[in-house]
PDB file of all heavy atoms in Angstrom:
ATOM      1  N   ILE M 119       2.026   9.785   3.568  1.00  0.00           N
ATOM      2  CA  ILE M 119       1.569  11.116   3.184  1.00  0.00           C
ATOM      3  C   ILE M 119       2.629  11.618   2.165  1.00  0.00           C
ATOM      4  O   ILE M 119       3.883  11.654   2.414  1.00  0.00           O
ATOM      5  CB  ILE M 119       1.572  12.058   4.439  1.00  0.00           C
ATOM      6  CG1 ILE M 119       0.459  11.604   5.315  1.00  0.00           C
ATOM      7  CG2 ILE M 119       1.255  13.550   3.960  1.00  0.00           C
ATOM      8  CD1 ILE M 119       0.346  12.300   6.640  1.00  0.00           C
ATOM      9  N   PRO M 120       2.102  11.950   0.883  1.00  0.00           N
ATOM     10  CA  PRO M 120       3.024  12.437  -0.113  1.00  0.00           C
ATOM     11  C   PRO M 120       3.875  13.566   0.378  1.00  0.00           C
ATOM     12  O   PRO M 120       3.455  14.471   0.964  1.00  0.00           O
ATOM     13  CB  PRO M 120       2.132  12.801  -1.272  1.00  0.00           C
ATOM     14  CG  PRO M 120       0.846  12.053  -0.984  1.00  0.00           C
ATOM     15  CD  PRO M 120       0.771  11.981   0.530  1.00  0.00           C
ATOM     16  N   GLY M 121       5.246  13.463  -0.049  1.00  0.00           N
ATOM     17  CA  GLY M 121       6.111  14.539   0.290  1.00  0.00           C
ATOM     18  C   GLY M 121       6.688  14.387   1.722  1.00  0.00           C
ATOM     19  O   GLY M 121       7.681  15.097   1.984  1.00  0.00           O
ATOM     20  N   ARG M 122       6.226  13.482   2.526  1.00  0.00           N
ATOM     21  CA  ARG M 122       6.613  13.339   3.800  1.00  0.00           C
ATOM     22  C   ARG M 122       7.356  11.951   4.048  1.00  0.00           C
ATOM     23  O   ARG M 122       8.452  11.804   4.593  1.00  0.00           O
ATOM     24  CB  ARG M 122       5.615  13.442   4.862  1.00  0.00           C
ATOM     25  CG  ARG M 122       6.150  13.330   6.322  1.00  0.00           C
ATOM     26  CD  ARG M 122       5.055  13.340   7.336  1.00  0.00           C
ATOM     27  NE  ARG M 122       4.348  12.057   7.334  1.00  0.00           N
ATOM     28  CZ  ARG M 122       3.305  11.740   8.177  1.00  0.00           C
ATOM     29  NH1 ARG M 122       2.812  12.677   8.991  1.00  0.00           N
ATOM     30  NH2 ARG M 122       2.772  10.532   8.093  1.00  0.00           N
ATOM     31  N   ASP M 123       6.671  10.911   3.578  1.00  0.00           N
ATOM     32  CA  ASP M 123       7.051   9.534   3.917  1.00  0.00           C
ATOM     33  C   ASP M 123       7.790   8.833   2.801  1.00  0.00           C
ATOM     34  O   ASP M 123       7.637   9.184   1.617  1.00  0.00           O
ATOM     35  CB  ASP M 123       5.820   8.745   4.355  1.00  0.00           C
ATOM     36  CG  ASP M 123       5.056   9.276   5.457  1.00  0.00           C
ATOM     37  OD1 ASP M 123       5.674   9.951   6.355  1.00  0.00           O
ATOM     38  OD2 ASP M 123       3.844   9.262   5.494  1.00  0.00           O
ATOM     39  N   GLU M 124       8.485   7.785   3.103  1.00  0.00           N
ATOM     40  CA  GLU M 124       9.139   6.936   2.151  1.00  0.00           C
ATOM     41  C   GLU M 124       8.823   5.547   2.465  1.00  0.00           C
ATOM     42  O   GLU M 124       8.640   5.141   3.629  1.00  0.00           O
ATOM     43  CB  GLU M 124      10.664   7.102   2.216  1.00  0.00           C
ATOM     44  CG  GLU M 124      11.238   8.450   1.758  1.00  0.00           C
ATOM     45  CD  GLU M 124      12.680   8.503   1.886  1.00  0.00           C
ATOM     46  OE1 GLU M 124      13.279   8.175   2.942  1.00  0.00           O
ATOM     47  OE2 GLU M 124      13.294   8.932   0.864  1.00  0.00           O
ATOM     48  N   ALA M 125       8.744   4.720   1.453  1.00  0.00           N
ATOM     49  CA  ALA M 125       8.559   3.245   1.573  1.00  0.00           C
ATOM     50  C   ALA M 125       9.820   2.472   1.241  1.00  0.00           C
ATOM     51  O   ALA M 125      10.398   2.753   0.198  1.00  0.00           O
ATOM     52  CB  ALA M 125       7.430   2.832   0.639  1.00  0.00           C
ATOM     53  N   LEU M 126      10.135   1.560   2.097  1.00  0.00           N
ATOM     54  CA  LEU M 126      11.342   0.673   1.764  1.00  0.00           C
ATOM     55  C   LEU M 126      10.798  -0.680   1.278  1.00  0.00           C
ATOM     56  O   LEU M 126      10.003  -1.319   1.999  1.00  0.00           O
ATOM     57  CB  LEU M 126      12.145   0.447   3.016  1.00  0.00           C
ATOM     58  CG  LEU M 126      13.153   1.654   3.365  1.00  0.00           C
ATOM     59  CD1 LEU M 126      12.443   2.898   3.742  1.00  0.00           C
ATOM     60  CD2 LEU M 126      14.086   1.164   4.373  1.00  0.00           C
ATOM     61  N   ILE M 127      11.156  -0.991   0.064  1.00  0.00           N
ATOM     62  CA  ILE M 127      10.619  -2.143  -0.596  1.00  0.00           C
ATOM     63  C   ILE M 127      11.700  -3.128  -0.880  1.00  0.00           C
ATOM     64  O   ILE M 127      12.853  -2.809  -1.324  1.00  0.00           O
ATOM     65  CB  ILE M 127       9.978  -1.763  -1.961  1.00  0.00           C
ATOM     66  CG1 ILE M 127       8.972  -0.590  -1.795  1.00  0.00           C
ATOM     67  CG2 ILE M 127       9.338  -2.947  -2.637  1.00  0.00           C
ATOM     68  CD1 ILE M 127       7.759  -0.868  -1.056  1.00  0.00           C
ATOM     69  N   GLN M 128      11.442  -4.424  -0.753  1.00  0.00           N
ATOM     70  CA  GLN M 128      12.398  -5.489  -0.984  1.00  0.00           C
ATOM     71  C   GLN M 128      11.692  -6.647  -1.751  1.00  0.00           C
ATOM     72  O   GLN M 128      10.491  -6.882  -1.520  1.00  0.00           O
ATOM     73  CB  GLN M 128      12.928  -6.066   0.338  1.00  0.00           C
ATOM     74  CG  GLN M 128      14.075  -7.111   0.163  1.00  0.00           C
ATOM     75  CD  GLN M 128      14.635  -7.496   1.507  1.00  0.00           C
ATOM     76  OE1 GLN M 128      13.879  -7.623   2.543  1.00  0.00           O
ATOM     77  NE2 GLN M 128      15.855  -7.765   1.502  1.00  0.00           N
ATOM     78  N   GLN M 129      12.428  -7.219  -2.711  1.00  0.00           N
ATOM     79  CA  GLN M 129      11.732  -8.313  -3.463  1.00  0.00           C
ATOM     80  C   GLN M 129      11.784  -9.531  -2.473  1.00  0.00           C
ATOM     81  O   GLN M 129      12.644  -9.764  -1.753  1.00  0.00           O
ATOM     82  CB  GLN M 129      12.599  -8.688  -4.623  1.00  0.00           C
ATOM     83  CG  GLN M 129      11.982  -9.761  -5.527  1.00  0.00           C
ATOM     84  CD  GLN M 129      12.882 -10.044  -6.739  1.00  0.00           C
ATOM     85  OE1 GLN M 129      14.104 -10.160  -6.647  1.00  0.00           O
ATOM     86  NE2 GLN M 129      12.165 -10.255  -7.865  1.00  0.00           N
ATOM     87  N   VAL M 130      10.602 -10.220  -2.533  1.00  0.00           N
ATOM     88  CA  VAL M 130      10.398 -11.437  -1.737  1.00  0.00           C
ATOM     89  C   VAL M 130       9.784 -12.467  -2.610  1.00  0.00           C
ATOM     90  O   VAL M 130       9.121 -12.070  -3.613  1.00  0.00           O
ATOM     91  CB  VAL M 130       9.516 -11.113  -0.470  1.00  0.00           C
ATOM     92  CG1 VAL M 130      10.225 -10.143   0.501  1.00  0.00           C
ATOM     93  CG2 VAL M 130       8.191 -10.648  -0.918  1.00  0.00           C
TER      94      VAL M 130
END
Side-chain angles (χ1 to χ4, degrees):
I119 296 178
R122 181 188 78 180
D123 302 326
E124 292 179 311
L126 279 68
I127 309 293
Q128 184 174 37
Q129 186 180 41
V130 297

